[in-house]
Amino acid sequence: QKNIYLTSWRIKVMDGNSAICVEGKRKDMNGLSWHSNAIMERIAYNQVKTSSGSIYFLQGNIDSASMRKEGFPYRFIKRFTYGFSKKWKEYVEEFLEERRR
């Protein structure tokens, strides 16, 4: 089980609009662009656990500019500005539901 630190992080939708992952720059790899497996669980507002068991530490605020470019609605981005809230699953479900329509 390893801890991965991401800066300039953002949320990405996985294939099939079934889940989300996080993407950002890895501190331990000189800022290499990296994305996680599906997010399964919130440990803290800035810590999430993936389907593979890795724990991601999200540093700083969400990269809202790049998410806007990718067409994420402002309302959704705003809910994740400072990280993952306790209601993150609800927000994601609602968002993915709209994408699947």
Side-chain angles (χ1 to χ4, degrees):
Q1 183 145 324
K2 55 178 200 273
N3 295 339
I4 296 164
Y5 292 83
L6 290 183
T7 57
S8 305
W9 63 276
R10 57 196 181 161
I11 291 168
K12 300 277 278 191
V13 175
M14 300 186 79
D15 293 343
N17 291 325
S18 57
I20 57 156
C21 64
V22 286
E23 179 179 86
K25 295 178 167 49
R26 269 186 78 157
K27 276 201 142 167
D28 59 336
M29 294 183 169
N30 294 327
L32 182 81
S33 194
W34 187 265
H35 74 86
S36 72
N37 283 313
I39 303 298
M40 291 316 216
E41 191 188 324
R42 168 197 188 268
I43 296 167
Y45 75 95
N46 64 343
Q47 281 177 47
V48 290
K49 192 173 187 176
T50 67
S51 54
S52 64
S54 297
I55 293 175
Y56 281 77
F57 288 80
L58 309 172
Q59 304 193 293
N61 294 349
I62 200 164
D63 179 356
S64 52
S66 65
M67 285 186 67
R68 288 294 293 160
K69 271 194 203 113
E70 287 179 28
F72 281 87
Y74 174 71
R75 194 188 55 186
F76 179 79
I77 302 168
K78 205 173 77 178
R79 290 170 161 172
F80 289 90
T81 302
Y82 305 110
F84 281 65
S85 75
K86 288 196 168 74
K87 292 171 78 171
W88 77 274
K89 266 200 162 108
E90 233 170 274
Y91 299 149
V92 167
E93 271 313 303
E94 184 188 313
F95 173 65
L96 294 177
E97 185 65 35
E98 281 168 22
R99 300 249 315 195
R100 288 192 287 258
R101 273 185 210 137

